């Protein structure tokens, strides 16, 4: 196996072992669940931001769409929660398709427009007029499928899926073409790359992962409100974890999540509002001074980072 | 398509930027294996001609036929996959990717005419830099990398935009020899160039543009005696 592929395989294997064993050593399953969730979201965001350079501030919209998509499949179609998680992924992909025209915008305009789209979806879902469908502001409750263990293992599967997709992209010609798009869309098309198609595929993969994670989250907590799953906090955390760890790699978002979500849980739980502020500032500092994240420091020292 | 039909046929090409007519009805042909020079003062529309042929922006009038097919509505990547490529006047590599990766991006397509990135780098003297990020190359190396990327899509039509500028005399002769050898293998080449001396070494057929119009088409030797051409170069 070539060197690069070995580390690409190693990361999912270690992750699988760690999250399979940890619940037996540590009794806060919800924290472990959230850790996996943020790791998956970080990989998902990395696929669109790390490779193509488009940073959707409204990435949480896919998460919320997934949570509601899954919940509606359970409530109205009486699907099993496992199928409902897939439905959540599908709902996010659908939303992603609707939002593809946003790519006509560049840079910051794209980022802000995606945020506006996520906010708009939040207001639609939370609208009391939609109570028969979404329960509006009163929230969703899914007691009939309550099963934290089932949701835990599902989230682990989603995380592994995101790691495998991310690893394959990193090592494939598809990933190389995506990196070319990030560096210069014009030169990429001059190299024969179908920029619109490849960017859309990575966008939808990124949406899919967030949608699956959102649906599994909704299942795990089984009672949630629009602001729980469309809250900007989830989006800010995901962005800061990816930026901190390092974009365009598989390992970077994992390390970023491990450290920053770890720190947050260690000292931040009691004062979450300060953390959102602190992490918001951290995003600005990272973009300005360490745009390629922690792993870029390792790479500067000659280490080959997966 | 008859064997002596031109591979590229440009007819009445128009492009305006706001009120500025950058191209105002430009027409010419190129045959396979031929090198055509395109000269003209700064701002006369040479780069815009290349941009129009490669689909960097939509044109406002005229037609472009390549290999007998109308291509002027196709997106850039399709034109590239049909066999057109170009270099940029100011090189536009993928800065963070390595030299080899830069060429590999292009090598992914046109599966029916696969190119070998390593061989291309070897031929252009970039092999020893293969693993360096493109942004670390000096400007003449970046020009070579631009040519390498274009060649990696195995073009039948190559448009080169002032590739001679900034090269030393030795590099210039190397470049002239290289372009002639590509043409000898059947590639059609449009050489946009300021340096008449360089054009003289690669072709004897020339177009001269001024303010979006073709001033002159014919033998290079005659161009240098044509009063309108002299006027455009000296008066422009
Ligand atoms: N993208 C653009 N937007 C606006 N004006 C442009 C653009 N590209 C070229 N022009 C203008 O069109 C004219 C022709 O430019 P160009 O084709 O680059 O000339 P050159 O013959 O020096 O290559 C110039 O006046 C230039 O300023
Ligand atoms: Mg020019």
């Amino acid at each position: 196996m070539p060197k690069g592929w070995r580390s690409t395989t190693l990361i999912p294997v270690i992750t699988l072992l760690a999250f399979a064993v940890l619940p037996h050593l540590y009794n806060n399953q919800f924290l472990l669940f959230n850790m996996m969730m943020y790791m998956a979201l970080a990989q998902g965001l990395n696929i669109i931001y790390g490779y193509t350079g488009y940073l959707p501030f409204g990435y949480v919209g896919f998460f919320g769409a997934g949570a509601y998509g899954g919940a509606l499949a359970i409530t109205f179609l009486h699907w099993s929660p496992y199928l409902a998680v897939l439905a959540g992924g599908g709902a996010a992909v659908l939303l992603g398709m609707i939002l593809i025209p946003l790519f006509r915008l560049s840079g910051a305009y794209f980022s802000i427009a995606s945020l506006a789209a996520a906010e708009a979806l939040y207001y639609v879902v939370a609208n009391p007029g939609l109570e028969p469908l979404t329960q509006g502001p009163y929230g969703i409750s899914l007691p009939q499928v309550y099963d934290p263990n089932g949701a835990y293992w599902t989230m682990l599967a989603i995380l592994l899926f995101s790691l495998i997709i991310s690893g394959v992209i990193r090592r494939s010609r598809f990933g190389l073409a995506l990196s070319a798009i990030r560096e210069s869309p014009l030169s990429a098309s001059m190299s024969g790359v179908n920029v619109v198609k490849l960017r859309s595929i990575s966008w939808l993969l990124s949406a899919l992962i967030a949608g699956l994670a959102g649906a599994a989250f909704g299942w795990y907590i089984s009672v949630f409100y629009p602001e729980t799953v469309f809250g900007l906090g989830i989006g800010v955390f995901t962005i800061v974890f990816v930026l901190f760890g390092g974009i365009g790699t598989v390992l970077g978002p994992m390390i970023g999540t491990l450290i920053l979500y770890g720190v947050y849980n260690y000292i931040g739980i009691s004062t979450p509002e300060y953390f959102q502020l602190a992490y918001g500032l951290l995003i600005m500092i990272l973009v300005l001074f360490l745009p390629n994240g922690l792993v870029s420091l390792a790479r500067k020292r000659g280490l080959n980072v997966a | 398509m008859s064997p002596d039909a031109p591979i590229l046929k440009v007819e009445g090409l128009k492009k305006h930027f706001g009120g500025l007519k950058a191209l105002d009805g430009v027409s010419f042909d190129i045959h396979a294996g031929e090198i055509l020079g395109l000269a003209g003062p700064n701002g006369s529309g040479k780069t815009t001609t290349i941009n129009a042929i490669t689909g960097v922006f939509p044109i406002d009038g005229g037609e472009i036929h390549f290999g007998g097919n109308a291509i002027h509505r196709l997106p850039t990547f399709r034109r590239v996959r049909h066999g057109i490529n170009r270099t940029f006047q100011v090189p536009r590599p993928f800065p963070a990717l390595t030299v080899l990766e830069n060429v590999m991006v292009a090598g992914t397509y046109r599966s029916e005419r696969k190119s070998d990135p390593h061989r291309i780098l070897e031929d252009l003297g970039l092999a020893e830099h293969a693993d360096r990020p493109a942004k670390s190359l000096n400007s003449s190396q970046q020009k070579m990398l631009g040519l390498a990327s274009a060649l990696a899509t195995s073009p039948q039509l190559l448009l080169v935009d002032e590739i001679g500028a900034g090269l030393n005399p030795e590099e210039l002769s190397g470049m002239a020899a290289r372009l002639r050898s590509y043409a000898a293998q059947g590639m059609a080449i449009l050489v946009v160039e300021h340096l008449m001396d360089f054009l003289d070494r690669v072709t004897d057929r020339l177009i001269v543009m001024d303010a979006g119009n073709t001033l002159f088409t014919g033998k290079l030797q005659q161009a240098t005696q044509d009063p309108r051409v002299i006027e455009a170069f000296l008066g422009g």
Side-chain angles (χ1 to χ4, degrees):
Chain A
M1 208 185 299
K3 197 165 162 231
W5 281 104
R6 201 176 307 141
S7 55
T8 309
T9 325
L10 212 55
I11 296 171
V13 170
I14 293 174
T15 306
L16 170 65
L17 291 176
F19 284 101
V21 171
L22 278 169
H24 300 286
L25 306 176
Y26 182 68
N27 63 11
N28 191 343
Q29 192 194 41
F30 187 48
L31 193 153
L32 295 174
F33 179 90
N34 279 330
M35 181 74 89
M36 293 192 295
M37 179 185 94
Y38 278 117
M39 285 175 167
L41 287 174
Q43 293 301 336
L45 183 69
N46 184 36
I47 291 172
I48 188 67
Y49 179 52
Y51 292 97
T52 72
Y54 281 81
L55 177 56
F57 286 159
Y59 189 52
V60 70
F62 296 129
F63 183 84
Y68 271 87
L72 295 185
I74 290 168
T75 313
F76 293 102
L77 305 174
H78 310 290
W79 286 13
S80 87
Y82 297 100
L83 275 181
V85 166
L86 295 181
V93 168
L94 202 65
L95 177 64
M97 286 174 167
I98 295 169
L99 295 183
I100 279 177
L102 293 189
F103 283 103
R104 298 216 188 115
L105 304 172
S106 59
Y109 295 100
F110 169 85
S111 298
I112 291 166
S114 80
L115 181 60
E119 284 290 286
L121 186 61
Y122 163 73
Y123 282 109
V124 169
V125 166
N127 186 335
L130 278 185
E131 197 192 332
L133 189 63
T134 65
Q135 306 298 316
Y138 315 110
I140 292 273
S141 125
L142 305 165
Q144 67 275 38
V145 294
Y146 182 71
D147 177 11
N149 285 327
Y152 182 92
W153 294 108
T154 303
M155 187 59 91
L156 179 52
I158 295 167
L159 172 56
L160 294 177
F161 172 73
S162 74
L163 288 171
I164 289 166
I165 297 274
S166 202
V168 168
I169 288 179
R170 177 144 171 81
R171 298 290 160 196
S172 65
R173 295 223 152 199
F174 175 69
L176 182 60
L178 289 183
S179 307
I181 295 174
R182 177 191 65 214
E183 300 284 302
S184 165
L186 175 59
S187 296
S189 40
M190 215 55 83
S191 293
V193 174
N194 185 342
V195 173
V196 173
K197 181 169 138 194
L198 265 59
R199 202 156 55 192
S200 302
I201 292 175
S202 60
W203 176 239
L204 297 180
L205 279 173
S206 172
L208 172 66
I209 290 169
L212 294 170
F217 177 78
W219 177 24
Y220 188 100
I221 59 175
S222 84
V223 172
F224 62 87
Y225 302 91
E227 59 271 25
T228 325
V229 293
F230 285 102
L232 290 184
I234 294 174
V236 169
F237 270 26
T238 303
I239 292 171
V240 81
F241 296 164
V242 173
L243 284 177
F244 182 71
I247 58 170
T249 63
V250 181
L251 194 59
M254 296 295 279
I255 293 184
T257 309
L258 193 67
I259 295 179
L260 291 189
Y261 194 62
V263 169
Y264 169 74
N265 279 286
Y266 193 61
I267 53 178
I269 281 278
S270 54
T271 53
E273 60 280 18
Y274 295 123
F275 260 75
Q276 291 193 12
L277 175 69
Y279 282 4
L281 287 174
L282 191 54
I283 289 182
M284 285 165 42
I285 292 168
L286 287 168
V287 170
L288 287 175
F289 300 110
L290 195 61
N292 295 315
L294 272 192
V295 294
S296 67
L297 295 179
R299 213 182 271 131
K300 274 192 194 125
R301 286 165 198 279
L303 295 175
N304 175 18
V305 181
Chain B
M1 206 176 101
S2 73
D4 58 350
I7 188 162
L8 178 78
K9 205 167 167 47
V10 171
E11 279 175 22
L13 209 56
K14 292 193 179 186
K15 177 70 195 175
H16 47 78
F17 297 108
L20 174 79
K21 287 179 176 165
L23 297 179
D24 194 19
V26 171
S27 306
F28 62 88
D29 314 327
I30 311 181
H31 288 77
E34 184 193 15
I35 300 182
L36 175 66
L38 174 54
N42 259 328
S44 55
K46 305 182 296 296
T47 298
T48 305
T49 302
I50 292 184
N51 285 341
I53 296 170
T54 50
V56 171
F57 37 58
I59 54 176
D60 300 312
E63 294 190 358
I64 306 169
H65 291 258
F66 178 71
N69 304 307
I71 56 153
H72 48 274
R73 289 195 192 84
L74 299 180
T76 295
F77 79 92
R78 292 245 173 262
R79 300 187 200 195
V80 169
R81 292 184 192 182
H82 271 107
I84 301 179
N85 215 322
R86 55 93 61 87
T87 66
F88 289 95
Q89 188 171 347
V90 179
R92 297 175 135 268
F94 308 115
L97 303 189
T98 67
V99 168
L100 179 61
E101 285 170 336
N102 264 264
V103 181
M104 279 170 63
V105 174
T108 315
Y109 301 95
R110 301 213 72 205
S111 49
E112 74 276 23
R113 299 167 121 245
K114 265 249 164 339
S115 60
D116 176 356
H118 292 279
R119 247 201 69 197
I120 292 173
L121 290 181
E122 193 74 50
D123 286 350
L124 296 182
L126 290 171
E128 58 185 303
H129 307 301
D131 296 322
R132 282 171 54 185
K135 64 180 167 222
S136 73
L137 298 182
N138 68 31
S139 69
S140 67
Q141 289 166 336
Q142 289 204 3
K143 287 209 154 181
M144 290 311 239
L145 178 56
L147 181 58
S149 286
L151 292 176
T153 63
S154 310
Q156 290 158 278
L157 170 67
L158 178 67
L159 314 164
V160 293
D161 199 351
E162 302 205 14
I163 202 163
L167 297 190
N168 66 37
E170 198 182 324
E171 291 167 331
L172 271 179
S173 351
M175 186 57 72
R178 211 167 258 127
L179 294 180
R180 284 196 309 265
S181 89
Y182 300 153
Q185 293 160 38
M187 197 186 284
I189 309 180
L190 179 72
V191 180
V192 165
E193 197 48 81
H194 239 52
L195 314 166
M196 281 293 179
D197 167 53
F198 180 75
L199 280 176
D200 192 32
R201 282 195 256 176
V202 293
T203 182
D204 62 356
R205 197 161 87 89
L206 182 70
I207 301 177
V208 180
M209 287 182 70
D210 186 34
N213 292 290
T214 18
L215 261 194
F216 172 91
T217 310
K219 294 270 178 213
L220 188 127
Q221 289 74 10
Q222 289 160 8
T224 50
Q225 268 129 61
D226 188 298
R228 288 167 309 166
V229 173
I230 294 167
E231 160 75 19
F233 270 90
L234 300 179

